[in-house]
Amino acid sequence: MDPVALLAIGLAVVGVIGVVVPLVPGALVSVAGVLLYWWSTDYSEPSLLVLAALVLVGLVTVIIDYFGGVIAARAGGASSLTTAVGALVGFVLLFVTGPLGFLLGLAATVFAVEFYRNDNPEASARIALYTTVGVLASTVVQILLTGSILVVLVGTVVF
């Protein structure tokens, strides 16, 4: 197998792993692998239609990465202020305590801000749960999407 094809597949594998590792742009790494392979085949494989589909999947994954948690928080009833404060606290805690601290900090912050706003523990807990589950679900979706990029790329290289 061509070394560039192996590198492209390696990038796609790193992309799948990268969507789980904080601050690694996994989807963009996966797309880079696809584009590298396309370039190495003189723009013949994958076909333009498949290439466009894979790049689109990568872009959708990036959007989910950046906005999945916010969408879930808003769907759960969180205010814009709660969403912004939760994201900021979660981002800071990500560096201090890692992914678990991010999730727990996000949930606690969303609960605290919503409880301060509405003095309703049940509603605040529901909103915090929606937000936390939404962040986790967006990660699962990102794994599935970058995994599909990997599968298609491997299929293109092997077959």
Side-chain angles (χ1 to χ4, degrees), residues 84-134:
V85 172
L88 178 65
V89 169
F91 184 73
V92 170
L93 286 176
L94 181 62
F95 291 105
V96 178
T97 60
L100 183 60
F102 166 78
L103 284 174
L104 294 175
L106 177 66
T109 301
V110 168
F111 176 83
V113 172
E114 283 300 314
F115 184 72
Y116 176 78
R117 287 185 64 239
N118 63 28
D119 200 28
N120 183 338
E122 291 84 17
S124 301
R126 178 183 48 78
I127 293 168
L129 180 64
Y130 265 78
T131 303
T132 306
V133 169

Side-chain angles (χ1 to χ4, degrees), residues 1-2 4-6 8-9 12 33-54 147-159:
M1 188 178 294
D2 178 23
V4 177
L6 285 174
I9 291 171
V34 170
L35 293 173
L36 175 66
Y37 182 70
W38 185 58
W39 170 80
S40 76
T41 64
D42 291 326
Y43 311 106
S44 62
E45 289 183 39
S47 70
L48 280 178
L49 182 62
V50 172
L51 178 72
L54 293 175
S148 69
I149 292 172
L150 174 61
V151 168
V152 171
L153 181 60
V154 168
T156 301
V157 170
V158 172
F159 302 109

Side-chain angles (χ1 to χ4, degrees), residues 57-93:
V57 167
L59 293 176
V60 167
T61 306
V62 169
I63 291 167
I64 291 169
D65 183 23
Y66 288 112
F67 298 108
V70 172
I71 292 167
R74 298 293 292 158
S79 68
S80 297
L81 172 67
T82 300
T83 304
V85 172
L88 178 65
V89 169
F91 184 73
V92 170
L93 286 176

